[in-house]
Amino acid sequence: MPAFLFWIFALVMLGFGAAVVINRNPIASALSLVLCFMGLSALFMSLDAFFIGIIQVLVYAGAVMVLFLFIIMLLDLRAETRRKMKVVAVVGGSAVALAFFIQVYSVIGQLSAAKQPFPPLSSPKMDDVHSVGLLLFSNYNLPFQIIGVLVLVATIGVIVLSKRELR
Amino acid sequence: MVTLGHYLIVSGLLFTIGFAGVLLRRNIIIIFMSLELMLNAANLSLVAFSRFRLNAAGIPNYNAQVFVFFIITVAAAEVAVGLAIIVALYRARQTTHVEDVSSLKF
């Protein structure tokens, strides 16, 4: 994949990611999150992970974000009214986030592997769905079934939580 | 030329955006979206490492991609439960603002 596409998709992802945090209206935030995940899925595909990229679009942009929008519209959330934010909280939060990024940046700067380009694949034709599926049903069969139980428990939990009276 | 470090720094930036969102925003739904951003930043670095460490046959290390698959599944379940909790909270208190929910605050 050409380098300029990496920069375009990284900028789309980070720009709309920042828009999620900056937007005052929750619906605008949710729609920015969809575009952010689209950029992320393009980055996955630039890393030859086509299956993960498709799953990202299907599960996040398709299912999870529809759930978010549904809840936002169900609760009828309007744009947030401006509340006074404590200056200490804003400055402290930004400083902690900035310190975190500086740490990550310095660690990556010292990593010698980070300066190497990606090695070429043995063949340009990939069947990553086949390989991931093979691993999923052989080495990771037990975790896969546990995940199934987890999703079932989550479904039951959601039904219990959305009953009118919690006992 | 795009190296592994570029992907890791982009992933770190995305995580930082999500982290700042959790710390700075007071709307519980936006905080929840920022959590999703952080999960996906971790996924991006996992996939980048999977592409970087080719095995002997010259194909990516698919263990990382299976791990990302599990993370996406767990995140989907987490979103469903979390949003149900937000709806239950809204029914009880008519608010999605974290500062209005402070019974457990010391």
Side-chain angles (χ1 to χ4, degrees):
Chain A
M1 184 180 241
F4 74 94
L5 282 180
F6 166 79
W7 293 111
I8 290 175
F9 288 128
L11 272 180
V12 165
M13 186 184 78
L14 293 175
F16 282 105
V20 171
V21 176
I22 292 166
N23 265 320
R24 208 153 269 285
N25 187 346
I27 293 183
S29 282
L31 294 178
S32 307
L33 195 55
V34 172
L35 287 172
C36 174
F37 285 159
M38 289 290 180
L40 184 61
S41 125
L43 284 185
F44 283 157
M45 290 187 186
S46 77
L47 289 166
D48 300 298
F50 300 103
F51 176 61
I52 298 296
I54 293 290
I55 286 284
Q56 178 81 16
V57 172
L58 279 181
V59 174
Y60 271 107
V64 168
M65 291 323 297
V66 169
L67 207 57
F68 263 108
L69 283 172
F70 175 70
I71 295 299
I72 291 171
M73 291 177 179
L74 181 76
L75 300 185
D76 198 19
L77 299 178
R78 300 299 157 102
E80 237 175 296
T81 49
R82 280 184 183 277
R83 294 199 187 194
K84 228 186 192 171
M85 289 186 75
K86 286 181 192 133
V87 181
V88 182
V90 173
V91 172
S94 315
V96 170
L98 197 69
F100 172 78
F101 181 68
I102 290 169
Q103 276 188 329
V104 169
Y105 190 84
S106 59
V107 167
I108 293 170
Q110 285 169 8
L111 194 68
S112 62
K115 292 176 193 71
Q116 294 166 21
F118 288 98
L121 292 173
S122 61
S123 72
K125 222 177 137 204
M126 303 279 303
D127 52 350
D128 58 339
V129 183
H130 178 91
S131 310
V132 171
L134 211 59
L135 266 182
L136 204 57
F137 287 103
S138 57
N139 287 7
Y140 296 100
N141 199 3
L142 181 65
F144 185 63
Q145 295 187 27
I146 294 173
I147 284 281
V149 176
L150 179 83
V151 172
L152 176 68
V153 170
T155 316
I156 296 170
V158 168
I159 293 170
V160 170
L161 277 173
S162 27
K163 275 178 129 174
R164 198 143 272 285
E165 273 181 38
L166 286 174
R167 279 159 206 258
Chain B
M1 190 167 52
V2 181
T3 62
L4 176 66
H6 287 100
Y7 278 95
L8 293 183
I9 286 175
V10 165
S11 158
L13 265 173
L14 188 64
F15 194 97
T16 310
I17 291 172
F19 191 39
V22 170
L23 291 176
L24 295 177
R25 292 303 301 263
R26 289 287 169 268
N27 188 332
I28 205 162
I29 291 196
I30 309 282
I31 290 178
F32 210 47
M33 288 181 195
S34 303
L35 285 178
E36 296 303 308
L37 283 183
M38 291 201 279
L39 274 170
N40 282 292
N43 283 351
L44 180 59
S45 52
L46 275 173
V47 174
F49 278 119
S50 138
R51 176 67 182 75
F52 185 71
R53 284 267 175 254
L54 300 187
N55 64 9
I59 58 170
N61 188 344
Y62 284 112
N63 288 305
Q65 299 197 13
V66 173
F67 195 30
V68 170
F69 176 83
F70 284 139
I71 292 176
I72 290 178
T73 320
V74 172
E78 173 232 328
V79 165
V81 175
L83 286 174
I85 291 174
I86 291 177
V87 171
L89 171 75
Y90 193 80
R91 268 199 204 135
R93 295 283 185 87
Q94 278 76 44
T95 184
T96 55
H97 203 268
V98 285
E99 279 166 0
D100 296 340
V101 189
S102 54
S103 308
L104 285 177
K105 203 172 167 185
F106 180 62

